[in-house]
């Protein structure tokens, strides 16, 4: 057990020392990225590994002292052995324990992080000034504190804003995947932030760097233009976008720096610090609002799923009731046939049956009597059945309305609840249009597919022609449509679409009107939802 703990401590120390050595070569007096690494490590690493961080920092500083004491003196070499991360640790501990800044536990309050960044940058500047006091200066030179201190503060703060937020993005991404590297790398390839950064922001910054290298007279303007990707990514992806965009933009500003401590570059860096801090804070607010919107949308989806499940159960009950009514009608006709057979001869039986057929609604419309409860043909034949020649096509064409339909896509993706919603939307649209008795032709197009979720789009084209409509048997068609539909018209269509997160669009066409309805299928409904519920109810 002790060997395992010791090996972990050594591993953390080695990784941290290698990271410090790598970023140490990139640090300059006005872009001290090591400060950002120190702060990020203290925020993300568990307290029990802090001694390993100190040891890793001392190992790298010891190497620097050994290689530089001949040039900078023994006193500077000894002072340099004190790890800067040890000075930041008490402050970071206070922020993590008392001020709610603990990204390792999922608490990332960006305004508090900005305050912590400023405080750490101030401490790092004091440490650098102290080291300069013990370092030998070239003959005839002196420190100009009015220039050195602002440059060090700017460099430390820019280094923190460049590195620490990106480390937080990296940590949150790994934590979301359970610290599985391959899963995290696969998600990076699918992340919109990663894709936009790699294929839009990086080429944009590279183009600006090329342009600034060829036209030095506009270099200062181009350096300020590096701020644009930070704003765009922050608006699209919150503080994570601001972090990634800020790192890339800062790298572009440094690449355009013509000489060390260039005054124009320092001004661009100052603007970048202000922009990155503002975008990180604003981006954190955007992230919060996006998260709240996603939670509300998730809650709405949960309510819709629950409503759809309740509708499935209600439809199952209605289907059982419809079947019971159908069986009752058939048994009633059988009893009536027997009674008529006993009452008179065959001729009288046929006459009475014809009279009963005229006066009895179930005999006249045997199938449509149960359709208002549950369309039985939909369960047997699906959408092709109710839209085809045995369903709406027969109903409309027998009355004299020209009818055509077209269905494309994998219809098997549509579950019974979704098919039922589409059927009722089409039926309500036809009932509402035919009630005005000026419809000459109907064209129905249904498209379905699957991306992240299954979807369906129904387009109902109503062609109006009073002359042709005058030859339609409205007295036969309208009652049958109204018997099948709810009679609520547009309101029923909108309700059905809302249950499936859909939208309704109605617009006029040169020959009539077009109603388009899009639906998203719920992932919570099972393929055999209505049939299973109906079977359970019948068995009960």
């Amino acid at each position: 057990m002790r060997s395992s703990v010791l090996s972990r401590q050594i591993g953390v120390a080695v990784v941290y020392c290698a990271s410090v050595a790598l970023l140490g070569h990139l640090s300059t007096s006005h872009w001290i990225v090591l400060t950002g690494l120190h702060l990020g490590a203290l925020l993300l690493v568990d307290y029990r590994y802090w001694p390993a961080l100190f040891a890793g920092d001392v190992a790298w500083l010891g190497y620097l002292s050994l290689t530089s004491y001949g040039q900078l003196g023994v006193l500077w070499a000894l002072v340099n052995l004190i790890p800067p991360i040890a000075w930041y640790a008490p402050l970071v501990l206070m922020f993590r324990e008392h001020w709610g800044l603990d990204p390792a536990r999922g608490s990332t309050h960006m305004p508090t992080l900005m305050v912590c960044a400023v405080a750490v940058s101030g401490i790092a500047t004091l440490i650098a000034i102290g080291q300069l006091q013990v370092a030998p200066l070239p003959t005839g030179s002196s420190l100009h504190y009015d220039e050195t201190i602002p440059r060090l503060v700017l460099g430390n703060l820019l280094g923190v804003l460049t590195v620490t937020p990106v480390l937080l993005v990296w940590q949150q991404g790994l934590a979301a995947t359970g610290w599985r590297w391959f899963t995290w790398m696969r998600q990076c390839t699918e992340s919109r932030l990663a894709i936009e950064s790699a294929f839009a922001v990086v080429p944009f910054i590279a183009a600006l760097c090329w342009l600034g290298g060829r036209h030095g007279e506009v270099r200062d303007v181009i350096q300020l233009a590096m701020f644009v990707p930070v704003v765009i990514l922050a608006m699209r992806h919150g503080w994570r976008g601001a972090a990634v965009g800020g790192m890339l933009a800062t790298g572009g500003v440094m690449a355009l720096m013509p000489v060390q401590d260039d005054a124009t570059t320092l001004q661009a860096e100052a603007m970048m610090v202000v922009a990155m801090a503002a975008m990180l804070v604003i981006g954190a607010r955007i992230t919060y609002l996006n998260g709240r919107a996603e939670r509300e949308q998730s809650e709405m989806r949960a309510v819709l799923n629950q409503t759809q499940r309740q509708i499935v159960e209600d439809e199952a009950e209605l289907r059982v009731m419809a079947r019971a009514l159908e069986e009752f009608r058939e048994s009633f006709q059988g009893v009536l046939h027997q009674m008529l057979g006993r009452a008179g001869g065959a001729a009288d039986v046929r006459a009475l049956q014809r009279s009963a057929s005229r006066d009895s609604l179930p005999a006249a419309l045997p199938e449509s009597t149960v359709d208002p409860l549950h369309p039985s043909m939909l369960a047997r034949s699906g959408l092709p059945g109710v839209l085809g020649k045995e369903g709406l096509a027969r109903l409309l064409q027998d009355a004299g309305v020209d009818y055509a339909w077209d269905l494309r896509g994998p219809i098997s993706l549509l579950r019974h609840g979704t098919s039922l919603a589409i059927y009722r939307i089409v039926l309500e649209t036809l009932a509402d249009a035919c009630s005005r008795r000026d419809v000459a032709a109907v064209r129905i197009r249904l498209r379905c597919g699957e991306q992240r979720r299954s979807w369906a789009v129904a387009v109902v084209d109503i062609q109006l022609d009073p002359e042709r409509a005058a030859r339609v048997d409205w007295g036969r068609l309208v009652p049958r449509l109204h018997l099948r539909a709810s009679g609520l018209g547009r309101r029923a269509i909108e309700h059905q679409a809302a249950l499936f997160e859909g939208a309704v669009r109605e617009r006029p066409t040169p020959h009539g009107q077009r109603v388009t309805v899009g639906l998203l299928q719920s992932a919570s409904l099972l393929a055999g939802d209505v049939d299973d519920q109906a079977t359970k109810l019948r068995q009960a």
Side-chain angles (χ1 to χ4, degrees):
M1 184 67 180
R2 289 184 176 180
S3 61
S4 176
V5 174
L6 182 60
S7 62
R8 291 182 182 179
Q9 294 282 350
I10 294 175
V12 171
V14 170
V15 172
Y16 184 70
C17 181
S19 302
V20 171
L22 178 62
L23 291 185
H25 293 291
L26 299 178
S27 291
T28 61
S29 61
H30 52 274
W31 190 36
I32 309 175
V33 292
L34 280 179
T35 308
L37 178 62
H38 294 326
L39 177 57
L42 290 173
L43 287 174
L44 297 178
V45 175
D46 194 82
Y47 296 139
R48 66 179 181 269
Y49 294 116
W50 278 18
L53 297 180
F54 301 159
D57 208 9
V58 169
W60 170 248
L61 294 174
Y63 169 77
L64 290 181
S65 296
L66 286 175
T67 55
S68 304
Y69 81 94
Q71 179 182 1
L72 299 176
V74 177
L75 180 59
W76 176 89
L78 293 176
V79 171
N80 186 61
L81 287 176
I82 303 174
I85 194 172
W87 297 100
Y88 313 145
L91 178 67
V92 176
L93 180 64
M94 292 176 57
F95 273 91
R96 287 183 64 168
E97 292 296 326
H98 303 291
W99 294 332
L101 183 61
D102 197 354
R105 301 177 186 174
S107 175
T108 305
H109 190 255
M110 201 54 62
T112 306
L113 179 61
M114 294 300 103
V115 175
C116 183
V118 172
V120 169
S121 300
I123 296 175
T125 301
L126 294 177
I127 294 173
I129 293 296
Q131 290 180 340
L132 289 176
Q133 296 299 318
V134 298
L137 297 176
T139 305
S141 62
S142 61
L143 287 175
H144 300 282
Y145 291 102
D146 56 338
E147 298 178 0
T148 303
I149 292 178
R151 186 170 66 248
L152 289 174
V153 171
L154 177 64
N156 283 296
L157 190 55
L158 186 61
V160 170
L161 296 181
T162 302
V163 177
T164 304
V166 175
L167 290 178
L168 300 186
V169 175
W170 170 77
Q171 181 266 343
Q172 289 188 359
L174 276 178
T177 59
W179 296 93
R180 293 186 292 270
W181 284 88
F182 290 106
T183 305
W184 175 74
M185 292 176 65
R186 186 178 68 252
Q187 288 192 356
C188 284
T189 59
E190 299 173 355
S191 169
R192 289 187 177 181
L193 174 58
I195 292 173
E196 292 175 8
S197 300
F199 296 101
V201 177
V202 171
F204 176 76
I205 292 178
L208 290 181
C209 291
W210 176 82
L211 188 62
R214 291 180 61 89
H215 303 280
E217 65 277 5
V218 294
R219 183 182 293 115
D220 52 345
V221 177
I222 293 176
Q223 286 178 328
L224 293 177
M226 300 286 184
F227 169 67
V228 175
V230 183
V231 178
I232 295 176
L233 289 181
M235 294 296 105
R236 289 181 56 81
H237 303 284
W239 70 268
R240 296 175 183 84
V244 175
M247 179 189 68
L248 297 176
T250 305
V253 171
M254 292 297 143
L256 283 178
M257 182 176 60
V259 294
Q260 187 78 8
D261 299 336
D262 177 61
T264 303
T265 302
L266 292 177
Q267 294 176 3
E269 289 179 1
M271 291 292 297
M272 189 63 67
V273 165
V274 175
M276 289 175 63
M279 287 298 101
L280 284 169
V281 174
I282 296 174
R285 183 62 180 173
I286 294 174
T287 301
Y288 167 75
L289 294 177
N290 290 340
R292 187 174 69 177
E294 289 178 359
R295 288 192 298 272
E296 292 176 353
Q297 189 175 12
S298 177
E299 293 174 357
M300 182 190 71
R301 251 187 218 137
V303 172
L304 285 175
N305 291 342
Q306 181 62 32
T307 305
Q308 290 173 5
R309 284 192 292 269
Q310 185 62 44
I311 290 175
V312 166
E313 295 175 3
D314 294 342
E315 291 291 345
E317 295 178 0
L318 290 175
R319 183 172 180 181
V320 171
M321 188 182 301
R323 288 175 177 174
L325 287 175
E326 183 70 17
E327 293 173 359
F328 172 76
R329 183 184 65 82
E330 292 175 355
S331 62
F332 176 77
Q333 285 183 338
V335 171
L336 181 61
H337 185 275
Q338 292 179 2
M339 292 177 61
L340 293 175
R342 294 175 184 176
D348 295 334
V349 170
R350 287 194 295 269
L352 287 173
Q353 284 181 336
R354 286 195 297 270
S355 176
S357 298
R358 289 192 303 268
D359 300 333
S360 173
L361 184 61
L365 297 172
E367 190 174 5
S368 61
T369 52
V370 298
D371 268 1
L373 295 178
H374 191 282
S376 56
M377 185 180 294
L378 181 64
R380 296 194 306 268
S381 307
L383 280 175
V386 295
L387 297 179
K389 60 182 181 179
E390 297 299 329
L392 291 178
R394 181 177 180 180
L395 187 67
L396 294 171
Q397 290 173 354
D398 288 351
V401 177
D402 187 17
Y403 176 83
W405 68 284
D406 181 29
L407 190 153
R408 297 184 185 179
I411 193 66
S412 59
L413 292 175
L414 300 183
R415 295 158 188 165
H416 188 89
T418 312
S419 299
L420 182 60
I422 294 173
Y423 168 72
R424 288 192 168 157
I425 287 171
V426 172
L427 196 58
E428 294 290 345
T429 303
L430 294 180
D432 182 61
C434 291
S435 62
R436 295 187 293 270
R437 303 184 179 225
D438 56 356
V439 176
V442 174
R443 299 288 182 269
I444 296 177
R445 288 177 292 164
L446 180 62
R447 303 290 182 265
C448 55
E450 184 177 25
Q451 293 177 346
R452 293 183 179 180
R453 298 169 63 185
S454 300
W455 55 268
V457 176
V459 180
V460 182
D461 279 314
I462 308 295
Q463 297 183 12
L464 307 179
D465 188 344
E467 295 182 1
R468 293 169 57 191
R471 297 190 290 271
V472 176
D473 187 359
W474 298 110
R476 180 182 181 185
L477 177 61
V478 173
R480 292 190 174 189
L481 287 176
H482 285 173
L483 186 63
R484 288 170 167 82
S486 66
L488 297 177
R490 177 64 181 266
R491 187 168 55 176
I493 298 173
E494 292 176 348
H495 289 173
Q496 290 285 342
L499 284 174
F500 289 85
E501 303 177 57
V504 181
R505 181 187 177 189
E506 183 176 354
R507 67 181 184 87
T509 62
H511 303 288
Q513 63 178 359
R514 172 177 296 172
V515 178
T516 305
V517 182
L519 304 179
L520 285 175
Q521 186 165 257
S522 171
S524 66
L525 298 180
L526 301 176
D529 42 20
V530 176
D531 293 331
D532 292 343
Q533 293 289 342
T535 302
K536 293 177 182 178
L537 288 172
R538 293 187 68 183
Q539 291 175 352

